Protein backbone atom coordinates (compact mmCIF):
# COMPACT_ATOMS: atom_id res chain seq x y z
CA UNK A 1 0.00 0.00 0.00
CA UNK A 2 1.53 3.30 -1.06
CA UNK A 3 0.99 7.02 -0.51
CA UNK A 4 -1.13 7.33 -3.65
CA UNK A 5 -3.94 5.51 -1.88
CA UNK A 6 -6.94 7.74 -1.27
CA UNK A 7 -7.76 8.17 2.40
CA UNK A 8 -11.12 9.17 3.88
CA UNK A 9 -11.24 10.48 7.46
CA UNK A 10 -14.46 10.52 9.46
CA UNK A 11 -14.46 12.82 12.49
CA UNK A 12 -11.90 14.96 10.69
CA UNK A 13 -12.39 18.07 12.83
CA UNK A 14 -12.11 16.24 16.13
CA UNK A 15 -9.23 16.18 18.60
CA UNK A 16 -7.37 13.41 16.77
CA UNK A 17 -9.05 13.48 13.35
CA UNK A 18 -7.51 16.85 12.44
CA UNK A 19 -4.01 15.46 13.00
CA UNK A 20 -4.72 12.42 10.85
CA UNK A 21 -5.89 14.73 8.06
CA UNK A 22 -2.74 16.84 8.24
CA UNK A 23 -0.50 13.76 8.38
CA UNK A 24 -2.25 12.28 5.34
CA UNK A 25 -1.76 15.49 3.36
CA UNK A 26 1.90 15.67 4.41
CA UNK A 27 2.45 12.07 3.32
CA UNK A 28 1.08 12.86 -0.14
CA UNK A 29 -2.08 10.79 0.10
CA UNK A 30 -5.14 12.18 -1.69
CA UNK A 31 -7.12 13.09 1.41
CA UNK A 32 -10.89 13.23 1.84
CA UNK A 33 -12.92 14.36 4.85
CA UNK A 34 -16.60 13.60 5.41
CA UNK A 35 -18.12 16.72 6.96
CA UNK A 36 -21.60 16.97 8.38
CA UNK A 37 -23.46 20.26 8.06
CA UNK A 38 -24.92 20.14 11.57
CA UNK A 39 -22.76 21.07 14.53
CA UNK A 40 -21.60 18.47 17.03
CA UNK A 41 -21.35 18.99 20.78
CA UNK A 42 -19.75 22.36 21.44
CA UNK A 43 -19.89 22.05 25.24
CA UNK A 44 -16.56 20.28 25.54
CA UNK A 45 -14.58 20.03 28.80
CA UNK A 46 -12.08 22.88 29.10
CA UNK A 47 -9.05 20.57 29.01
CA UNK A 48 -10.08 19.33 25.57
CA UNK A 49 -10.74 22.90 24.44
CA UNK A 50 -7.33 24.01 25.69
CA UNK A 51 -5.61 21.19 23.82
CA UNK A 52 -7.56 21.86 20.61
CA UNK A 53 -8.25 25.60 20.29
CA UNK A 54 -9.09 25.74 16.57
CA UNK A 55 -12.78 25.97 15.66
CA UNK A 56 -14.43 23.71 13.11
CA UNK A 57 -14.66 26.58 10.64
CA UNK A 58 -10.95 27.37 10.99
CA UNK A 59 -10.06 23.73 10.48
CA UNK A 60 -12.18 23.35 7.37
CA UNK A 61 -10.60 26.44 5.83
CA UNK A 62 -7.17 25.03 6.64
CA UNK A 63 -8.14 21.67 5.13
CA UNK A 64 -9.38 23.27 1.89
CA UNK A 65 -6.24 25.38 1.49
CA UNK A 66 -4.17 22.21 1.99
CA UNK A 67 -5.96 20.37 -0.80
CA UNK A 68 -8.25 18.21 1.28
CA UNK A 69 -11.41 17.18 -0.58
CA UNK A 70 -14.41 17.93 1.64
CA UNK A 71 -17.43 15.70 1.14
CA UNK A 72 -20.84 16.54 2.57
CA UNK A 73 -22.22 13.65 4.53
CA UNK A 74 -22.65 11.82 7.79
CA UNK A 75 -22.04 8.28 8.98
CA UNK A 76 -25.75 8.12 9.81
CA UNK A 77 -26.70 8.93 6.21
CA UNK A 78 -26.08 5.70 4.32
CA UNK A 79 -26.17 7.14 0.81
CA UNK A 80 -23.66 9.95 1.46
CA UNK A 81 -21.43 7.57 3.42
CA UNK A 82 -21.49 4.93 0.69
CA UNK A 83 -20.81 7.52 -1.99
CA UNK A 84 -17.77 8.79 -0.06
CA UNK A 85 -16.41 5.31 0.62
CA UNK A 86 -16.61 4.34 -3.05
CA UNK A 87 -14.19 7.17 -3.88
CA UNK A 88 -11.33 6.01 -1.65
CA UNK A 89 -9.09 3.09 -0.68
CA UNK A 90 -8.72 3.55 3.09
CA UNK A 91 -11.28 4.64 5.68
CA UNK A 92 -10.15 6.03 9.04
CA UNK A 93 -12.78 6.77 11.66
CA UNK A 94 -11.85 9.20 14.44
CA UNK A 95 -15.36 9.71 15.78
CA UNK A 96 -15.86 10.42 19.47
CA UNK A 97 -16.96 8.02 22.18
CA UNK A 98 -20.68 8.75 21.74
CA UNK A 99 -20.55 7.51 18.13
CA UNK A 100 -18.64 4.26 18.65
CA UNK A 101 -21.72 2.04 18.15
CA UNK A 102 -22.63 3.91 14.96
CA UNK A 103 -19.56 2.44 13.29
CA UNK A 104 -21.66 -0.61 12.41
CA UNK A 105 -23.08 1.68 9.70
CA UNK A 106 -19.58 2.26 8.34
CA UNK A 107 -18.95 -1.48 8.37
CA UNK A 108 -22.15 -2.07 6.41
CA UNK A 109 -21.26 0.61 3.86
CA UNK A 110 -17.71 -0.74 3.45
CA UNK A 111 -19.11 -4.22 2.94
CA UNK A 112 -21.55 -2.95 0.32
CA UNK A 113 -18.95 -0.82 -1.49
CA UNK A 114 -16.48 -3.69 -1.73
CA UNK A 115 -13.47 -1.53 -2.61
CA UNK A 116 -11.83 -0.67 0.73
CA UNK A 117 -8.30 -1.96 1.31
CA UNK A 118 -8.20 -1.00 5.00
CA UNK A 119 -10.49 0.26 7.76
CA UNK A 120 -9.22 1.94 10.93
CA UNK A 121 -12.10 2.02 13.43
CA UNK A 122 -12.18 4.72 16.10
CA UNK A 123 -9.83 3.46 18.80
CA UNK A 124 -6.89 5.79 19.47
CA UNK A 125 -6.51 4.86 23.12
CA UNK A 126 -5.47 1.75 25.01
CA UNK A 127 -5.79 -1.72 23.54
CA UNK A 128 -9.44 -2.56 24.11
CA UNK A 129 -8.63 -6.27 24.17
CA UNK A 130 -6.04 -5.75 26.94
CA UNK A 131 -7.22 -3.63 29.85
CA UNK A 132 -8.50 -3.62 33.40
CA UNK A 133 -10.37 -0.31 33.28
CA UNK A 134 -13.41 0.60 35.36
CA UNK A 135 -16.60 2.48 34.51
CA UNK A 136 -17.39 4.89 33.00
CA UNK A 137 -14.61 4.18 30.49
CA UNK A 138 -14.92 0.40 30.62
CA UNK A 139 -18.21 0.48 28.72
CA UNK A 140 -16.64 2.59 25.96
CA UNK A 141 -13.77 0.11 25.61
CA UNK A 142 -16.21 -2.79 25.49
CA UNK A 143 -18.15 -1.03 22.72
CA UNK A 144 -14.90 -0.57 20.77
CA UNK A 145 -14.10 -4.27 21.23
CA UNK A 146 -17.54 -5.15 19.82
CA UNK A 147 -16.75 -3.07 16.73
CA UNK A 148 -13.51 -5.04 16.33
CA UNK A 149 -15.42 -8.31 16.42
CA UNK A 150 -17.96 -6.99 13.89
CA UNK A 151 -15.17 -5.97 11.50
CA UNK A 152 -13.52 -9.36 11.80
CA UNK A 153 -16.82 -11.20 11.36
CA UNK A 154 -17.44 -9.35 8.08
CA UNK A 155 -13.93 -10.08 6.81
CA UNK A 156 -13.11 -6.40 6.34
CA UNK A 157 -9.36 -5.63 6.18
CA UNK A 158 -8.40 -3.57 9.22
CA UNK A 159 -5.75 -1.96 11.38
CA UNK A 160 -6.35 -1.08 15.04
CA UNK A 161 -4.39 1.92 16.33
CA UNK A 162 -3.54 1.78 20.06
CA UNK A 163 -1.84 5.00 21.11
CA UNK A 164 -2.66 5.16 24.83
CA UNK A 165 -2.34 8.64 26.43
CA UNK A 166 -2.54 11.85 24.39
CA UNK A 167 -0.17 14.48 25.73
CA UNK A 168 -2.94 17.06 25.34
CA UNK A 169 -5.11 15.24 27.88
CA UNK A 170 -2.60 13.54 30.17
CA UNK A 171 0.67 15.47 30.05
CA UNK A 172 -0.21 19.13 29.57
CA UNK A 173 -1.60 19.22 33.14
CA UNK A 174 0.29 16.21 34.62
CA UNK A 175 -3.12 14.50 34.93
CA UNK A 176 -4.41 17.09 37.40
CA UNK A 177 -8.17 17.52 37.36
CA UNK A 178 -9.52 20.99 36.51
CA UNK A 179 -6.12 22.21 35.27
CA UNK A 180 -4.91 23.02 31.76
CA UNK A 181 -1.20 23.52 32.53
CA UNK A 182 1.31 21.67 34.75
CA UNK A 183 1.23 22.61 38.45
CA UNK A 184 4.02 24.63 40.07
CA UNK A 185 3.31 24.03 43.77
CA UNK A 186 1.41 20.81 44.47
CA UNK A 187 0.76 17.66 42.45
CA UNK A 188 -1.62 14.73 42.96
CA UNK A 189 -0.32 11.31 41.88
CA UNK A 190 -2.61 8.31 41.61
CA UNK A 191 -1.27 5.12 43.20
CA UNK A 192 2.43 4.95 44.02
CA UNK A 193 3.48 6.73 40.82
CA UNK A 194 5.69 3.84 39.69
CA UNK A 195 3.54 2.33 36.91
CA UNK A 196 4.67 2.89 33.34
CA UNK A 197 2.36 4.79 31.00
CA UNK A 198 2.67 5.54 27.27
CA UNK A 199 2.41 9.16 26.10
CA UNK A 200 2.27 10.56 22.57
CA UNK A 201 1.34 13.87 20.96
CA UNK A 202 -1.79 13.97 18.86
CA UNK A 203 0.30 15.07 15.87
CA UNK A 204 2.51 11.99 16.21
CA UNK A 205 -0.59 9.78 16.42
CA UNK A 206 -1.56 11.22 13.04
CA UNK A 207 1.88 10.47 11.63
CA UNK A 208 1.94 6.88 12.85
CA UNK A 209 -1.65 6.29 11.71
CA UNK A 210 -0.85 7.31 8.14
CA UNK A 211 2.40 5.35 8.14
CA UNK A 212 0.41 2.28 9.16
CA UNK A 213 -2.28 3.02 6.55
CA UNK A 214 0.40 3.04 3.84
CA UNK A 215 2.14 -0.10 5.14
CA UNK A 216 1.06 -3.59 3.99
CA UNK A 217 2.76 -5.12 7.05
CA UNK A 218 0.08 -3.70 9.37
CA UNK A 219 -2.83 -5.37 7.54
CA UNK A 220 -5.11 -7.08 10.07
CA UNK A 221 -2.89 -6.08 12.98
CA UNK A 222 -3.03 -3.76 15.98
CA UNK A 223 -0.36 -1.06 15.96
CA UNK A 224 0.85 -0.04 19.42
CA UNK A 225 2.40 3.38 20.03
CA UNK A 226 4.65 3.01 23.07
CA UNK A 227 7.63 5.23 22.35
CA UNK A 228 10.82 4.58 24.36
CA UNK A 229 11.37 8.20 25.49
CA UNK A 230 7.68 8.54 26.40
CA UNK A 231 7.18 5.27 28.29
CA UNK A 232 7.25 6.83 31.73
CA UNK A 233 5.90 6.60 35.26
CA UNK A 234 4.06 9.49 36.90
CA UNK A 235 7.02 9.94 39.26
CA UNK A 236 9.40 10.21 36.30
CA UNK A 237 7.20 12.82 34.62
CA UNK A 238 6.89 14.91 37.78
CA UNK A 239 10.67 14.72 38.32
CA UNK A 240 11.18 15.84 34.71
CA UNK A 241 8.90 18.83 35.28
CA UNK A 242 10.57 19.73 38.60
CA UNK A 243 13.95 19.90 36.90
CA UNK A 244 12.55 22.25 34.26
CA UNK A 245 11.10 24.73 36.76
CA UNK A 246 13.85 24.28 39.34
CA UNK A 247 11.42 23.49 42.11
CA UNK A 248 10.27 20.48 44.12
CA UNK A 249 6.50 20.00 44.16
CA UNK A 250 4.51 18.94 47.21
CA UNK A 251 3.25 15.46 46.33
CA UNK A 252 0.03 13.77 47.42
CA UNK A 253 -0.28 10.07 46.61
CA UNK A 254 -3.84 8.79 46.36
CA UNK A 255 -4.44 5.05 47.01
CA UNK A 256 -6.53 3.06 44.56
CA UNK A 257 -9.46 2.71 46.97
CA UNK A 258 -9.78 6.49 47.20
CA UNK A 259 -9.44 6.88 43.42
CA UNK A 260 -12.25 4.38 42.84
CA UNK A 261 -14.43 6.21 45.38
CA UNK A 262 -13.72 9.54 43.67
CA UNK A 263 -14.65 8.07 40.29
CA UNK A 264 -18.00 6.89 41.64
CA UNK A 265 -18.77 10.22 43.32
CA UNK A 266 -17.62 12.53 40.50
CA UNK A 267 -19.63 13.74 37.53
CA UNK A 268 -18.54 13.98 33.89
CA UNK A 269 -15.89 14.81 32.75
CA UNK A 270 -13.93 14.25 35.95
CA UNK A 271 -15.20 10.70 36.50
CA UNK A 272 -14.21 9.82 32.94
CA UNK A 273 -10.77 11.40 33.20
CA UNK A 274 -10.13 9.78 36.58
CA UNK A 275 -11.06 6.38 35.16
CA UNK A 276 -8.60 6.92 32.30
CA UNK A 277 -5.87 7.99 34.71
CA UNK A 278 -6.64 4.98 36.92
CA UNK A 279 -6.38 2.65 33.93
CA UNK A 280 -2.90 3.84 32.99
CA UNK A 281 -1.35 5.01 36.26
CA UNK A 282 -2.62 2.31 38.62
CA UNK A 283 -3.72 -0.71 36.58
CA UNK A 284 -0.84 -0.43 34.11
CA UNK A 285 -2.93 -0.90 30.99
CA UNK A 286 -0.04 0.26 28.79
CA UNK A 287 2.20 -2.51 30.13
CA UNK A 288 1.91 -5.78 28.21
CA UNK A 289 3.69 -8.11 25.80
CA UNK A 290 2.64 -8.05 22.16
CA UNK A 291 2.11 -10.95 19.78
CA UNK A 292 4.09 -10.33 16.55
CA UNK A 293 1.54 -12.38 14.63
CA UNK A 294 -1.21 -9.85 15.28
CA UNK A 295 0.54 -6.81 16.76
CA UNK A 296 3.10 -4.24 15.65
CA UNK A 297 5.18 -1.89 17.81
CA UNK A 298 5.17 1.50 16.05
CA UNK A 299 8.68 2.61 17.01
CA UNK A 300 10.12 -0.69 15.72
CA UNK A 301 8.25 -0.48 12.41
CA UNK A 302 8.99 3.22 11.87
CA UNK A 303 12.30 4.06 13.60
CA UNK A 304 12.80 7.03 11.26
CA UNK A 305 9.86 8.97 12.71
CA UNK A 306 11.19 11.82 14.84
CA UNK A 307 8.49 11.92 17.49
CA UNK A 308 8.08 14.61 20.15
CA UNK A 309 9.39 13.41 23.49
CA UNK A 310 7.61 14.11 26.76
CA UNK A 311 10.60 16.19 27.79
CA UNK A 312 10.31 18.33 24.65
CA UNK A 313 6.55 18.64 25.02
CA UNK A 314 6.78 20.05 28.55
CA UNK A 315 9.20 22.77 27.44
CA UNK A 316 6.31 24.89 26.14
CA UNK A 317 4.92 25.31 29.67
CA UNK A 318 8.12 26.44 31.38
Amino acid sequence: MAAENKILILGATGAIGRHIVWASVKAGNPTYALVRKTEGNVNKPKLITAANPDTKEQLLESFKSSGVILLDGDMNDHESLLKAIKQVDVVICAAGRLLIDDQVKIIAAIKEAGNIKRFFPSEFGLDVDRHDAVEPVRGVFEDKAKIRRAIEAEGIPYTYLCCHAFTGYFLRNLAQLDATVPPRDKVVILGDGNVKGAYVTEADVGTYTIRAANDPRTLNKAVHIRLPANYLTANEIVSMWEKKIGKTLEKTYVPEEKVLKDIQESSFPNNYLLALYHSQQIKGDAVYEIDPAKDAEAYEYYPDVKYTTADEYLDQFV
Side-chain angles (χ1 to χ4, degrees), residues 270-283:
N270 285 358
N271 61 342
Y272 196 85
L273 289 170
L274 277 173
L276 288 174
Y277 299 159
H278 170 267
S279 164
Q280 173 153 276
Q281 296 180 4
I282 293 180
K283 304 310 290 186

Side-chain angles (χ1 to χ4, degrees), residues 99-132:
L99 298 174
I100 297 301
D101 290 343
D102 287 342
Q103 290 181 107
V104 295
K105 299 168 185 176
I106 303 173
I107 294 171
I110 288 175
K111 189 74 174 178
E112 181 177 342
N115 61 298
I116 294 304
K117 300 176 182 177
R118 197 87 63 87
F119 175 43
F120 286 65
S122 184
E123 297 232 351
F124 306 105
L126 54 70
D127 186 339
V128 298
D129 285 333
R130 293 183 177 100
H131 72 88
D132 196 18

Side-chain angles (χ1 to χ4, degrees), residues 96-310:
R97 62 184 177 83
L98 299 179
L99 298 174
I100 297 301
D101 290 343
D102 287 342
Q103 290 181 107
V104 295
K105 299 168 185 176
I106 303 173
I107 294 171
I110 288 175
K111 189 74 174 178
E112 181 177 342
N115 61 298
I116 294 304
K117 300 176 182 177
R118 197 87 63 87
F119 175 43
F120 286 65
S122 184
E123 297 232 351
F124 306 105
L126 54 70
D127 186 339
V128 298
D129 285 333
R130 293 183 177 100
H131 72 88
D132 196 18
V134 299
E135 294 294 356
V137 299
R138 185 177 187 86
V140 176
F141 299 153
E142 289 175 347
D143 288 343
K144 289 182 177 183
K146 290 176 184 176
I147 292 298
R148 285 189 178 191
R149 304 293 87 82
I151 291 167
E152 294 158 5
E154 291 293 347
I156 292 171
Y158 64 83
T159 298
Y160 305 138
L161 208 293
C162 309
C163 62
H164 299 281
F166 295 158
T167 53
Y169 295 16
F170 284 76
L171 206 54
R172 70 174 290 124
N173 62 351
L174 303 195
Q176 306 300 292
L177 292 178
D178 301 318
T180 58
V181 294
R184 290 180 176 267
D185 297 305
K186 303 176 181 180
V187 63
V188 174
I189 298 173
L190 307 190
D192 62 10
N194 292 323
V195 178
K196 290 283 187 184
Y199 301 87
V200 62
T201 67
E202 289 86 338
D204 287 334
V205 172
T207 298
Y208 284 112
T209 299
I210 297 303
R211 288 295 292 270
N214 288 325
D215 188 349
R217 298 176 298 170
T218 61
L219 176 64
N220 295 340
K221 286 188 175 183
V223 175
H224 305 263
I225 305 179
R226 298 183 297 178
L227 310 171
N230 293 357
Y231 200 42
L232 302 164
T233 68
N235 284 331
E236 288 171 330
I237 291 170
V238 170
S239 177
M240 184 184 293
W241 176 242
E242 288 175 329
K243 290 176 182 176
K244 288 184 181 299
I245 63 174
K247 184 178 180 180
T248 299
L249 303 182
E250 178 185 329
K251 302 172 185 66
T252 300
Y253 290 88
V254 184
E256 182 177 15
E257 296 75 16
K258 178 65 164 63
V259 175
L260 292 173
K261 184 172 184 290
D262 289 344
I263 291 171
Q264 292 176 345
E265 295 178 352
S266 300
S267 58
F268 185 85
N270 285 358
N271 61 342
Y272 196 85
L273 289 170
L274 277 173
L276 288 174
Y277 299 159
H278 170 267
S279 164
Q280 173 153 276
Q281 296 180 4
I282 293 180
K283 304 310 290 186
D285 283 338
V287 182
Y288 51 83
E289 296 295 324
I290 66 168
D291 178 356
K294 60 181 182 179
D295 298 302
E297 201 76 67
Y299 78 89
E300 292 179 351
Y301 271 48
Y302 314 113
D304 59 303
V305 173
K306 290 179 171 54
Y307 63 87
T308 299
T309 66

